[in-house]
Amino acid sequence: MFYIDQLRLAWRHRTPHFTSWLFGILLALQVLNVLTRGVAAIFISGEVADLMQRSPLVNVYLALANFMALLLTVAFLMLATRKLQKILEQRSTHDPLTGVLNRRGFLQCFSAVRARRQRHAAPLSLMALDLDLFKAINDQHGHAQG
């Protein structure tokens, strides 16, 4: 049930990226491995189903369980790294106070829009606003008011 619940959560919070798919596939394989072991333990009697005895089925199950534990750890680390990468990308392109694009984010967005407009031979306009004495408003009333 633990692996099935993890698989459900991975499916629910997936992103369209390789790491999400890898983690989901590995969890599904682990669920299949554990279910196969459970069915074998219930319906196969004797030494074949006993994990303390040597048999080809036990060897395959134990090898797969250990290998999947390693692969799931690597996949989880890849998933966490991808999530942190997205957070860092967001922080590097957006102002933390207002949440709007900063200079780096604006330049990325503007270059993408400009390239798209050049491909379609469409005109592009840009307007810049400069608010005079805006610093005095922030200083007097605070950044939340400004």
Side-chain angles (χ1 to χ4, degrees), residues 11-30:
W11 179 259
R12 184 176 177 194
H13 298 287
R14 73 188 182 280
T15 57
H17 195 263
F18 169 75
T19 55
S20 293
W21 290 106
L22 176 66
F23 191 65
I25 289 169
L26 290 175
L27 275 175
L29 289 174
Q30 183 66 357

Side-chain angles (χ1 to χ4, degrees), residues 20-99:
S20 293
W21 290 106
L22 176 66
F23 191 65
I25 289 169
L26 290 175
L27 275 175
L29 289 174
Q30 183 66 357
V31 166
L32 185 64
N33 188 28
V34 170
L35 285 176
T36 303
R37 170 66 187 135
V39 168
I42 291 171
F43 294 111
I44 299 175
S45 62
E47 295 180 2
V48 175
D50 186 7
L51 288 179
M52 300 310 242
Q53 302 296 326
R54 287 192 173 270
S55 73
L57 184 63
V58 170
N59 290 341
V60 167
Y61 170 74
L62 290 176
L64 275 176
N66 289 321
F67 186 65
M68 292 303 292
L70 290 172
L71 283 180
L72 282 171
T73 303
V74 170
F76 179 76
L77 288 173
M78 288 172 57
L79 198 61
T81 303
R82 177 68 180 149
K83 180 76 171 172
L84 288 173
Q85 180 184 8
K86 288 181 80 170
I87 290 170
L88 290 174
E89 286 173 359
Q90 165 76 13
R91 289 184 181 175
S92 72
T93 58
H94 289 75
D95 180 66
L97 185 62
T98 61

Side-chain angles (χ1 to χ4, degrees), residues 101-113:
L101 289 174
N102 60 16
R103 182 171 185 223
R104 176 181 290 143
F106 171 76
L107 290 176
Q108 287 176 353
C109 183
F110 180 71
S111 65
V113 168

